[in-house]
Amino acid sequence: MVCEAEGATGGGTPDASGSQFGTFIKITFPSSSDVPAAPLMWNINIDIDTDTSVLCDTHNSQATRYCVVAATSITLASTRTLRAHGSKPLVLLAISTFDLQGTIDVSSNAGSPPGAGAAVAASCPNTTAAAGNSGGFGGSFGGKGGNGGPIAGTADGATGTAAPALAAFPTDLRGGCPGGNGSSSTAGTAPAGGSGGGAVAIIADTVQVNGKINASGASGKGGPATLSGGGGGGAGGMIVLDAPSIMPGSGTLWLFANGGGGGQGGTGMGIGAGPGDDGKESPGPLINAVGGNNGGRSGGAGGGGSAGTAQKDGADAGDAVNSGGGGAGGGGTGFIRTLPIAGAVIAPPPISM
């Protein structure tokens, strides 16, 4: 089945000048000699730093904002992964066909560099940082992140409060917002929130989809073995397929930009003392990232990351006497924009091109 947009001429089809491509992100080359003239075939795993990679084309109108990898056609072979990280979002431009058989990964994962174009905290306003021993907020983007939890039955300080979700699809390609750090009134490092997922756009005349694209957010850290709230999960990022024709394959077709799980609060003394569990990351489109939740600890459980529209707040600590900190909120979902793709599993629900 071929999915086509009625009257569509965008994607990899150039405009009348022959040097401008794309309908969402418009890529213009200064002259016809700058338009890519060779195909690109990846039969190995690829790692792209969007700030430094030689694969990023520098002769186009968007080179300062995005890492644009351009070719006449692009193929990512089966079982192979293209991993992209760095401050710039990733744009893959194929003038004719983009054949995705493997996995494109712009997700963020705890302990690794954030996915390509993941948003920084300074660009994500309208949040309240955790205070006292409360859990951090989950990152928001296409969906709202969860709020952090407090110590049960106490006025311990402000809980981390997540920002509202964006009211409309962004006008540019960008990643999700990070989760907020947990808070601790005792000495030690505050548990870190997870980074938001990165962003990737594919521009082509035809996209053949027979693989996976992951732009999910990272998990938050659990609180240390002191009185401390957990770190919030990062929001999912953005995936855009800008093509007038999308041809689904027969394999596993996954597109997902889910939130990361929030970390569990830490406990400093008494029964259930010890560090809280870290949150987890989403392994697939319809699977929520799990919040940190060690049942042997007194710290509040972290909220699960969202794979839909519902926010997941962190839990209150179960026992104030045992000094359990509050759980952190899970991350909200990102954005996906594409034509319908028969047989694909997509989360969150896509916005049509």
Side-chain angles (χ1 to χ4, degrees):
M1 176 181 179
V2 178
C3 304
E4 297 185 347
E6 183 177 354
T9 58
T13 303
D15 68 352
S17 69
S19 60
Q20 179 174 291
F21 303 84
T23 59
F24 177 61
I25 302 298
K26 294 179 172 61
I27 307 295
T28 301
F29 294 93
S31 68
S32 58
S33 62
D34 292 309
V35 176
L40 187 56
M41 172 72 181
W42 285 313
N43 281 311
I44 58 174
N45 293 332
I46 299 294
D47 185 89
I48 295 177
D49 184 328
T50 59
D51 297 309
T52 63
S53 176
V54 295
L55 291 171
C56 301
D57 184 279
T58 58
H59 298 285
N60 70 82
S61 59
Q62 300 285 3
T64 59
R65 300 180 64 201
Y66 308 117
C67 168
V68 180
V69 179
T72 55
S73 64
I74 299 177
T75 300
L76 179 62
S78 176
T79 73
R80 302 305 181 187
T81 296
L82 185 162
R83 166 72 181 160
H85 52 90
S87 67
K88 295 179 180 179
L90 177 66
V91 177
L92 301 169
L93 168 60
I95 294 175
S96 58
T97 300
F98 190 100
D99 187 2
L100 174 61
Q101 300 175 33
T103 298
I104 296 174
D105 187 354
V106 293
S107 68
S108 291
N109 300 273
S112 297
V120 297
S123 65
C124 298
N126 303 317
T127 60
T128 300
N133 302 289
S134 297
F137 58 81
S140 299
F141 193 28
K144 181 184 180 299
N147 298 325
I151 293 179
T154 68
D156 182 57
T159 59
T161 304
L166 293 190
F169 194 86
T171 57
D172 60 348
L173 185 66
R174 50 156 290 191
C177 287
N181 293 342
S183 181
S184 176
S185 61
T186 57
T189 303
S195 297
V200 59
I202 295 175
I203 302 172
D205 186 60
T206 299
V207 175
Q208 297 176 346
V209 184
N210 200 32
K212 305 174 184 178
I213 305 178
N214 181 7
S216 297
S219 59
K221 296 291 289 183
T226 61
L227 180 56
S228 55
M238 184 187 294
I239 299 169
V240 175
L241 301 188
D242 183 1
S245 175
I246 298 180
M247 302 176 61
S250 58
T252 301
L253 313 181
W254 284 2
L255 278 67
F256 60 116
N258 296 332
Q264 181 180 19
T267 307
M269 64 181 71
I271 298 172
D277 278 3
D278 297 342
K280 306 297 182 184
E281 281 122 22
S282 175
L286 302 181
I287 306 174
N288 294 83
V290 177
N293 187 13
N294 183 334
R297 302 284 189 247
S298 295
S306 180
T309 56
Q311 65 198 58
K312 305 291 183 180
D313 294 341
D316 295 358
D319 188 346
V321 174
N322 288 337
S323 302
T333 54
F335 285 102
I336 297 178
R337 189 173 181 182
T338 178
L339 289 175
I341 307 172
V345 183
I346 302 176
I351 297 171
S352 182
M353 291 293 295

